Amino acid sequence: MKKQLLSICTMLLFCWACNGDFLTVEETGVIPSSDAPIVTAFLSPQDTIHTVTLYHTRPAAGNNPYATWEQNVSKSTVTLSNGTQTVKLIPDSFLTGVFKISSKNFKVESGKTYYLNVSTFDGKKVEANCTIPTGVVDTTSIAYQLVSGNPSNMNTSYLISWKDIPNQVNYYAVYTISELQDLTKKTAEINNERYLHGIDDVEKDGLTVGTQESLLLTKPNSPAKDRLYIWQVQVLNTDIHFYKFHKDYEIAKQADENPFSEPVMLYSNIKGGFGVMAGYTKAVTYFR
């Protein structure tokens, strides 16, 4: 999911650098921009590390504060709370703007509400909250339908389906991560990640739901004997914040290469800033 977060970061900066309608310098003299913090936090009971990421907006004109932000962002204070326990997240040693805490020190549980508070190094404050969905997709119900290619060939595409968690409104996302495992060294290398968002169970409560688009699950024709090439498939049961944010994000991505496209304002539930705090549960299975 790391590559996707980097992509989200880029799109966030593009979409929130300018506010309001299209304006020209001749009309206003100054292109309006915002220096409010951009925050993303995705919490899951199945994650071993909980992370919160702080970004900065890139103004369309004028000075770019990136150097100052990069040097000082680790001085910001980021806390998570479950209403009784409050913990301070630690800045990552290698990833700028990333704050984290081990699940051993702060437990995230289904059905509970969590609160985020951020105080940036330059005095800005933001807050948000989300409730983790209840229920995890049954991994035994996850199925694959071949739609193109041949299982013996390298390029094959599959639709992925699973049984809906009954008696509640559900929103889903699917992540596929390819792993090349070295059986001798007992290590794994992640080659690429793919994902689909915006799946719901409207009129399908308790029935089979799945991806409308196929996912390309490729494998080498002749892997080495000490190598195992597999796909990790994650089916996420997400909250409404995750669903709305990624729905807007997909629309914004479609216009990314068109300089004449009107910026898309992404969904945000961050008070005092931009971004999203969302929760999900995760079912993990492997496609070999």
Side-chain angles (χ1 to χ4, degrees):
M1 200 178 290
K2 292 181 180 179
K3 292 181 181 178
Q4 188 232 356
L5 287 175
L6 291 174
S7 180
I8 288 176
C9 172
T10 302
M11 189 60 65
L12 286 169
L13 299 177
F14 170 77
C15 293
W16 281 314
C18 299
N19 292 331
D21 297 329
F22 276 127
L23 298 172
T24 64
V25 175
E26 289 78 13
E27 291 173 335
T28 64
V30 177
I31 299 176
S33 64
S34 171
D35 60 356
I38 298 175
V39 182
T40 58
F42 300 98
L43 302 181
S44 171
Q46 287 75 38
D47 287 342
T48 56
I49 300 292
H50 305 305
T51 62
V52 175
T53 304
L54 305 187
Y55 308 117
H56 73 100
T57 55
R58 296 179 186 269
N63 296 324
N64 190 329
Y66 179 76
T68 301
W69 174 85
E70 185 177 32
Q71 293 171 3
N72 295 282
V73 65
S74 62
K75 300 176 185 177
S76 303
T77 300
V78 178
T79 64
L80 285 172
S81 173
N82 58 12
T84 56
Q85 178 192 13
T86 300
V87 294
K88 182 179 179 181
L89 279 65
I90 306 301
D92 190 278
S93 302
F94 302 100
L95 300 174
T96 303
V98 175
F99 295 75
K100 61 184 182 180
I101 189 169
S102 170
S103 59
K104 295 179 181 178
N105 298 322
F106 188 73
K107 189 175 183 180
V108 171
E109 300 177 84
S110 295
K112 290 190 176 182
T113 300
Y114 294 88
Y115 304 87
L116 170 68
N117 283 275
V118 177
S119 296
T120 64
F121 66 91
D122 54 355
K124 298 180 178 63
K125 297 182 182 297
V126 301
E127 61 184 67
N129 67 79
C130 71
T131 300
I132 309 300
T134 58
V136 181
V137 170
D138 180 4
T139 56
T140 64
S141 73
I142 299 175
Y144 304 88
Q145 178 185 347
L146 179 67
V147 293
S148 66
N150 187 299
S152 62
N153 296 331
M154 184 173 178
N155 296 319
T156 53
S157 295
Y158 292 83
L159 291 172
I160 301 175
S161 62
W162 58 91
K163 184 178 179 181
D164 176 57
I165 301 171
N167 304 318
Q168 63 183 40
V169 177
N170 297 301
Y171 306 96
Y172 298 104
V174 175
Y175 286 77
T176 59
I177 304 169
S178 65
E179 293 183 6
L180 181 59
Q181 297 184 355
D182 188 319
L183 302 180
T184 303
K185 298 179 180 179
K186 296 183 179 180
T187 59
E189 175 187 344
I190 294 178
N191 291 320
N192 53 62
E193 304 175 29
R194 300 187 178 102
Y195 53 87
L196 289 174
H197 299 114
I199 305 167
D200 59 50
D201 66 347
V202 175
E203 297 183 352
K204 292 185 178 181
D205 183 59
L207 304 176
T208 297
V209 296
T211 61
Q212 297 298 312
E213 299 177 32
S214 60
L215 285 158
L216 187 65
L217 304 179
T218 64
K219 296 182 181 181
N221 290 326
S222 302
K225 293 182 179 179
D226 60 347
R227 299 290 192 272
L228 178 62
Y229 198 97
I230 64 175
W231 283 89
Q232 180 186 137
V233 178
Q234 303 178 1
V235 179
L236 278 53
N237 176 31
T238 78
D239 67 2
I240 187 64
H241 305 304
F242 189 108
Y243 174 82
K244 288 185 175 180
F245 174 80
H246 284 94
K247 185 177 181 180
D248 287 349
Y249 172 65
E250 291 299 323
I251 295 173
K253 276 204 314 179
Q254 295 174 12
D256 190 29
E257 299 299 325
N258 185 351
F260 300 103
S261 295
E262 184 173 353
V264 177
M265 293 302 295
L266 274 66
Y267 171 84
S268 173
N269 65 339
I270 303 293
K271 183 178 180 181
F274 303 107
V276 64
M277 180 185 186
Y280 63 91
T281 62
K282 178 170 58 179
V284 180
T285 188
Y286 292 90
F287 179 80
R288 292 177 171 85

